[in-house]
Amino acid sequence: MNKAMQGRIDALMKERNVDVLLLTGNSDEHPGFWYLCGGHKFEAAMLVWKRGGKKLLIVGDMERDGAKESGLDWIPRSKTPASKLAQSKNPKVALLSWLLRKVRAKGRVALYGATGLEDTAWLGTLKRELKKQGCVLVSESVPLLREARRVKSEEEVEKIREAGVGTREAFDSLQRAISRCHAHRRTLYTARGEALTIGDLKQEVNLALARRGLVNIYGSIVAQGEEGGVPHNSGTNSRKVKTGLPIVCDIFPKDPRSGYYFDMSRTFVPGKASAAQKKAYEDVRQAAVLGFEAWEPGISFRLLHRRVQNFLEEKGYETLHSHPGTQVGFCHGLGHGLGLEVHEDPFIRGDEPLVSGEVITIEPGVYYPERKLGIRIEDVALVTDAGLENLTNYPTRLEVPLRGKARSK
C-alpha cells in the first residue's frame, strides 16, 4: 500500500475518532481486508492497524511470501502464542487480545472481517476482554474502509481498465456467436445446424473472460424478450435465441489477481430491429450520453440521476419519480460505484458531490416485459476534475447482422 492510501485511511480514522482497525478472517472474502493487504490472499489472517502507528499482520507460515510483498510488518502464526492460546476458552478472542497488546493498542477499535462475526456471543466476549485492555469496540454506520475505497488511485484505475479489456472481448465473442448464425422461422442456428441458446452465448462470454484471466463470480445477464424486460433476470440457459427480440447483456467479471471488477451492458437484436425497438434504444443511448455530459463540478450522483430520469420522463417513460414503485420504464438508479465490489459506494442515495478518483457506472435502461422489450446501456466512468472519463469505449449498435448460411444437405 502506498503512503497516500495509508494517509487517507489514517485521516479518516482521525475524523471518525477511531484509533485502531482490527481485521480477522480471509482477506479475499472482505474487500477492506484485501485493500489493506495490497491484494494478497491470506487465510485466517489478522491485522491490527494503529492510526499513525504500527500496522501488524499475522499470517500462516505458508503465506509468508505474500506477507513480505504486502509492505506491512508481519509475523508468521508459528511465532505467536496461538498454539498455547488454543487451549483457552475462546482462542480467537485470546489471540486478538494478544495482538492488540503486542502493538500497545488503546482507545476506540473498529472490527472488520469475514470469519465469526455473526457469533454475537463471541463479540460480547471480545468487548469485555478489550475493555480490560483500555480498548472500546465501536460500531460504524458507514464502514470506514468502505469510505476509504471510494477514491481510487491511478494504480487502482489501471486495474479496472485492465479488467475492461477482457470484458469488451467477451462482448465481441458474444456478437460473433450471433452473427455466425442463420435464421429459420426466427430461430437462430449455428453452422452445425444446432439451435443457438442463451446458455451458448453465456458460454462464449465465459470462455472469452477466461482467456483474459477474468472470472464470472456472479454469472452474466444474457436475457432476451420478456426476460430482458426484468432488469436482473439472468436469462434462461435453455431458451433458443430468436431474431427480432432484444437481448440485454450485462457482464461484470472480476480479475482475481487484482480483485477489481468491471461492469458493462449492451443490448443487441439479432437481425432486424423494429421501429419501436430502435426508438427505445436511441432514447436510452441519448440518456447514456447525457449521463456523461450532464456532469458539472460539485454535482452529486443523485442529481446526475435526476437529470437523466427527467430526460426519460420527457421521452414518455415511467420512472420511480413519476410512478413510485414502478417496475417498468426506467425503474432503477442511474448507476453505482465500482471497484473491489461490483456494487459499492458511491450510490445515488447521497447528496455529497462526486469527487475526482471515484469510479461509477452510467446505466440507464427501459423495461417492458409484456412487450418483450428490455434495453440497457452501461459504461464505466472515472470522475476527474474535467468531467467523466469513459473507461468502456465500446460501440453502441443495436442490430447484429446474421451472416451465417444454412449447411447444404
Side-chain angles (χ1 to χ4, degrees):
M1 173 174 289
N2 61 43
K3 290 184 179 180
M5 294 167 73
Q6 286 193 25
R8 186 163 69 247
I9 293 168
D10 282 352
L12 275 171
M13 291 175 71
K14 182 177 181 180
E15 178 185 313
R16 295 188 177 200
N17 191 25
V18 173
D19 299 295
V20 183
L21 303 179
L22 181 59
L23 295 94
T24 174
N26 301 330
S27 64
D28 63 335
E29 294 177 359
H30 192 287
F33 209 162
W34 181 271
Y35 183 72
L36 293 183
C37 290
H40 290 281
K41 186 178 188 300
F42 301 121
E43 294 183 5
M46 297 185 296
L47 172 63
V48 61
W49 182 291
K50 285 178 65 177
R51 170 161 50 96
K54 192 79 170 178
K55 282 79 173 162
L56 183 61
L57 176 67
I58 308 296
V59 299
D61 292 46
M62 291 186 292
E63 297 169 333
R64 58 187 179 272
D65 287 343
K68 293 175 185 176
E69 295 173 0
S70 72
L72 299 165
D73 291 336
W74 65 281
I75 300 175
R77 195 171 290 109
S78 63
K79 299 296 184 181
T80 72
S83 57
K84 180 180 178 181
L85 295 175
Q87 308 305 315
S88 61
K89 187 174 181 180
N90 197 317
K92 188 179 300 181
V93 169
L95 190 55
L96 288 173
S97 299
W98 171 86
L99 178 57
L100 289 169
R101 289 195 300 272
K102 176 75 175 176
V103 299
R104 299 180 180 179
K106 299 289 183 182
R108 295 167 58 80
V109 179
L111 181 65
Y112 292 83
T115 303
L117 296 187
E118 71 284 353
D119 185 346
T120 56
W122 176 79
L123 285 176
T125 303
L126 180 63
K127 286 180 181 179
R128 290 189 293 273
E129 195 62 35
L130 294 188
K131 188 175 181 180
K132 298 176 185 177
Q133 300 175 202
C135 296
V136 177
L137 197 62
V138 299
S139 60
E140 301 176 283
S141 57
V142 178
L144 183 151
L145 290 180
R146 195 171 78 189
E147 180 70 18
R149 292 189 290 112
R150 285 181 63 152
V151 176
K152 274 65 175 179
S153 65
E154 291 182 8
E155 181 182 2
E156 290 177 282
V157 172
E158 187 57 34
K159 290 173 180 177
I160 294 171
R161 289 184 196 272
E162 290 173 3
V165 173
T167 310
R168 290 190 293 270
E169 290 179 0
F171 274 93
D172 289 341
S173 293
L174 187 149
Q175 289 190 80
R176 282 196 299 270
I178 293 173
S179 66
R180 288 195 296 260
C181 291
H182 64 276
H184 178 66
R185 294 180 180 175
R186 294 197 63 194
T187 297
L188 268 61
Y189 289 89
T190 68
R192 297 187 300 273
E194 300 170 347
L196 182 73
T197 67
I198 292 295
D200 293 333
L201 293 180
K202 291 181 182 179
Q203 183 67 2
E204 290 288 339
V205 168
N206 290 336
L207 290 172
L209 294 175
R211 285 192 289 269
R212 280 286 180 174
L214 303 178
V215 293
N216 230 348
I217 299 289
Y218 303 110
S220 297
I221 292 175
V222 182
Q224 186 170 39
E226 72 282 358
E227 292 184 335
V230 179
H232 281 183
N233 188 318
S234 62
T236 301
N237 288 345
S238 60
R239 180 172 179 150
K240 296 177 181 178
V241 180
K242 303 288 186 179
T243 62
L245 286 179
I247 307 174
V248 175
C249 306
D250 191 344
I251 304 176
F252 35 98
K254 177 181 180 179
D255 187 334
R257 297 157 296 191
S258 70
Y260 286 84
Y261 283 86
F262 204 75
D263 189 8
M264 64 177 283
S265 302
R266 290 295 184 268
T267 304
F268 304 115
V269 169
K272 296 293 184 181
S274 69
Q277 291 165 353
K278 289 179 180 178
K279 180 186 182 305
Y281 188 84
E282 180 58 19
D283 290 340
V284 171
R285 190 195 67 79
Q286 289 182 22
V289 171
L290 178 63
F292 282 83
E293 294 182 346
W295 178 92
E296 60 186 30
I299 195 171
S300 68
F301 208 171
R302 178 183 289 183
L303 181 54
L304 195 62
H305 164 81
R306 286 175 181 168
R307 289 181 178 178
V308 173
Q309 178 179 257
N310 292 342
F311 170 82
L312 289 172
E313 278 185 23
E314 291 170 1
K315 290 290 183 178
Y317 299 99
E318 297 89 343
T319 72
L320 292 170
H321 172 256
S322 65
H323 294 73
T326 185
Q327 296 183 30
V328 297
F330 181 35
C331 53
H332 57 66
L334 179 60
H336 52 82
L338 180 74
L340 288 172
E341 296 176 278
V342 72
H343 297 104
E344 64 178 40
D345 286 330
F347 293 98
I348 66 166
R349 58 177 174 262
D351 287 321
E352 63 273 16
L354 292 169
V355 299
S356 181
E358 291 181 330
V359 176
I360 62 175
T361 64
I362 301 294
E363 50 178 307
V366 296
Y367 309 89
Y368 294 94
E370 74 283 358
R371 303 181 201 170
K372 298 185 177 182
L373 176 67
I375 305 288
R376 180 161 69 251
I377 295 173
E378 177 183 17
D379 288 329
V380 176
L382 169 65
V383 182
T384 75
D385 291 335
L388 300 184
E389 178 188 346
N390 194 323
L391 302 185
T392 302
N393 296 317
Y394 195 82
T396 50
R397 290 193 294 265
L398 177 62
E399 295 177 331
V400 179
L402 305 180
R403 299 185 178 91
K405 296 181 180 179
R407 185 174 55 182
S408 58
K409 296 181 179 180

